[in-house]
């Protein structure tokens, strides 16, 4: 028996960094996915195969998941949690295949946690989406203790959500999003520390920015209800100004955004900043102009909103 599950990547459309300080954020799942398959074995081990390598640990040592390399830790944690309540399991093999770029702020780790939770649990009993979400957040906390759970939430439910209310947003226009990878590895911890330092140095201005972000998100939701892509794009660029002010941008990202603004309705950083990806709202007729605007070492692709979220099935 093989249990197969997949979950989508994500982007933060509005509200990154500010959401940690009490403002809403808008996230969306996109049509890049990670697929995880799990099957029972008789080997007395848990074997994890991924593009990052292979790890094999004995079932008796799963409880030592904190000692495992961070890229495998959530999966060892999950298998320990599930096997612990199913003592007759003799072994598991888990295979992870992903078309989500790693380490660029598109939720690769969250999607992996969600898909792995659904895949492994499918061997024992089918969990609800709420149960999958709760367990996947626990798994992600083994590598990111301060995670808000926002990424796992949108990877679980799909579509577009306002966080932390987890209210689904029905977009009335078809977003054509361009995602450009700066090819600069981002460090979420460092970016968060920079934002915290900005707040400490000027609490009054940071509070004003939080209020502005909250107002902006209200305006975005209204724009979507009114099928107003132009205002949506303008609000992306406005949000970018706030991100510039809290100092999570750099010259490379700035240059990319400036170039994309020549053909887009709006563009901004998505995620932690200081590297990773930028996103732009681009009309179909302008997509073929993108390569000429960007340095040849940058990767880009178009993305649509994924509405399915996590899905799973059993093959016998």
């Amino acid at each position: 028996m093989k249990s197969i599950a997949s979950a989508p990547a994500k982007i933060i459309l509005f509200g990154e960094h500010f959401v940690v300080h009490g403002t809403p954020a808008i996230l969306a799942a996109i049509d890049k996915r990670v697929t995880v398959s799990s099957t029972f074995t008789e080997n007395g081990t848990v074997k994890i195969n991924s593009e990052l390598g292979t790890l094999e640990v004995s079932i008796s040592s799963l409880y030592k998941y904190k000692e495992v390399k961070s890229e495998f830790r959530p999966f060892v944690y999950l298998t320990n949690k599930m096997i612990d309540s199913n003592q007759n399991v003799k072994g598991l093999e888990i295979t992870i295949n992903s078309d989500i770029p790693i380490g660029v702020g598109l939720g690769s780790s969250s999607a992996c946690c969600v898909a792995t939770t659904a895949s492994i649990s499918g061997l024992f009993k089918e969990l609800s989406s709420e149960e999958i979400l709760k367990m996947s957040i626990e798994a992600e906390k083994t590598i990111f203790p301060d995670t808000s759970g926002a990424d796992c939430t949108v990877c679980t439910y799909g579509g577009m959500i306002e966080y932390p209310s987890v209210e689904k947003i029905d977009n009335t226009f078809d977003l054509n999003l361009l995602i450009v990878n700066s090819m600069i590895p981002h460090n979420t911890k460092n970016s968060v520390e920079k934002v915290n330092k900005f707040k400490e140095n000027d609490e009054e201005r940071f509070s004003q920015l939080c209020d502005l972000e909250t107002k902006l998100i209200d305006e975005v939701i209204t724009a979507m209800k009114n099928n107003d892509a132009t205002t949506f794009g303008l609000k992306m660029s406005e949000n970018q100004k706030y991100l510039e002010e809290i100092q999570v941008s750099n010259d490379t990202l700035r240059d990319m955004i400036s170039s994309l603004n020549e053909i887009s309705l709006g563009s901004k950083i998505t995620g932690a900043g200081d590297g990773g990806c930028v996103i732009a709202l681009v009309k179909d007729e302008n997509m073929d102009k993108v390569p000429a605007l960007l340095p040849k070492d940058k990767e880009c692709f178009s993305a649509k909103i994924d509405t399915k979220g996590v899905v799973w099935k059993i093959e016998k």
Side-chain angles (χ1 to χ4, degrees), residues 5-68:
S6 72
K10 65 84 197 179
I11 53 174
I12 302 179
L13 286 164
F14 300 94
E16 50 268 274
H17 289 294
F18 298 106
V19 68
V20 179
H21 301 274
T23 75
I26 296 177
L27 297 89
I30 59 170
D31 56 354
K32 292 274 185 183
R33 298 182 75 87
V34 58
T35 300
V36 179
S37 62
S38 303
T39 187
F40 290 123
T41 67
E42 301 288 325
N43 300 333
T45 66
V46 170
K47 185 177 182 181
I48 303 164
N49 309 298
S50 81
E51 61 188 277
L52 296 176
T54 299
L55 176 74
E56 190 164 9
V57 295
S58 66
I59 287 181
S60 61
S61 64
L62 288 175
Y63 71 95
K64 298 180 181 179
Y65 63 86
K66 291 181 180 178
E67 301 174 11
V68 173

Side-chain angles (χ1 to χ4, degrees), residues 64-196:
K64 298 180 181 179
Y65 63 86
K66 291 181 180 178
E67 301 174 11
V68 173
K69 287 183 179 180
S70 60
E71 57 263 38
F72 293 107
R73 196 176 303 147
F75 317 123
V76 177
Y77 167 84
L78 286 167
T79 52
N80 178 59
K81 188 176 181 73
M82 294 189 200
I83 289 177
D84 193 45
S85 58
N86 295 272
Q87 299 288 336
N88 59 338
V89 175
K90 296 179 180 178
L92 278 177
E93 183 164 1
I94 302 162
T95 300
I96 303 166
N97 292 297
S98 178
D99 58 9
I100 305 172
I102 296 171
V104 297
L106 297 181
S108 174
S109 64
S110 299
C112 281
C113 288
V114 170
T116 303
T117 301
S119 175
I120 298 174
S121 66
L123 293 173
F124 302 101
K125 66 172 184 176
E126 188 173 305
L127 299 181
S128 67
S129 295
E130 290 77 14
E131 291 171 318
I132 289 171
L133 173 60
K134 182 179 179 181
M135 199 175 293
S136 63
I137 292 174
E138 290 175 5
E140 190 168 42
K141 282 184 175 179
T142 65
I143 45 174
F144 301 120
D146 298 323
T147 181
S148 68
D151 289 6
C152 284
T153 300
V154 76
C155 292
T156 299
Y157 294 116
M160 195 178 300
I161 63 166
E162 183 180 351
Y163 193 85
S165 67
V166 196
E167 183 176 342
K168 277 233 181 183
I169 301 170
D170 293 325
N171 58 304
T172 55
F173 56 92
D174 189 20
L175 294 174
N176 192 7
L177 292 160
L178 176 74
I179 299 177
V180 184
N181 185 356
S182 69
M183 310 304 289
I184 301 172
H186 79 298
N187 186 309
T188 301
K189 182 181 178 181
N190 289 348
S191 297
V192 168
E193 287 175 353
K194 287 170 70 173
V195 175
N196 288 338

Side-chain angles (χ1 to χ4, degrees), residues 171-237:
N171 58 304
T172 55
F173 56 92
D174 189 20
L175 294 174
N176 192 7
L177 292 160
L178 176 74
I179 299 177
V180 184
N181 185 356
S182 69
M183 310 304 289
I184 301 172
H186 79 298
N187 186 309
T188 301
K189 182 181 178 181
N190 289 348
S191 297
V192 168
E193 287 175 353
K194 287 170 70 173
V195 175
N196 288 338
K197 187 175 180 180
F198 178 93
K199 180 183 179 182
E200 290 169 10
N201 291 339
D202 195 342
E203 288 198 17
E204 182 179 357
R205 179 54 182 164
F206 190 80
S207 178
Q208 290 172 351
L209 288 169
C210 287
D211 291 342
L212 288 168
E213 187 73 25
T214 299
K215 180 174 179 288
L216 180 149
I217 287 173
D218 287 340
E219 292 167 344
V220 167
I221 292 172
T222 299
M224 295 179 71
K225 289 177 180 176
N226 293 335
N227 197 27
D228 186 354
T230 299
T231 297
F232 187 99
L234 288 171
K235 295 302 170 184
M236 289 176 68
S237 295

Side-chain angles (χ1 to χ4, degrees), residues 262-275:
E262 293 181 26
I263 53 123
S264 72
L265 297 175
S267 55
K268 62 180 283 292
I269 291 166
T270 182
D274 287 325

Side-chain angles (χ1 to χ4, degrees), residues 250-271:
N250 58 38
D251 288 342
T252 298
L253 297 174
R254 223 168 273 123
D255 289 345
M256 289 165 57
I257 288 168
S258 177
S259 296
L260 290 169
N261 280 341
E262 293 181 26
I263 53 123
S264 72
L265 297 175
S267 55
K268 62 180 283 292
I269 291 166
T270 182

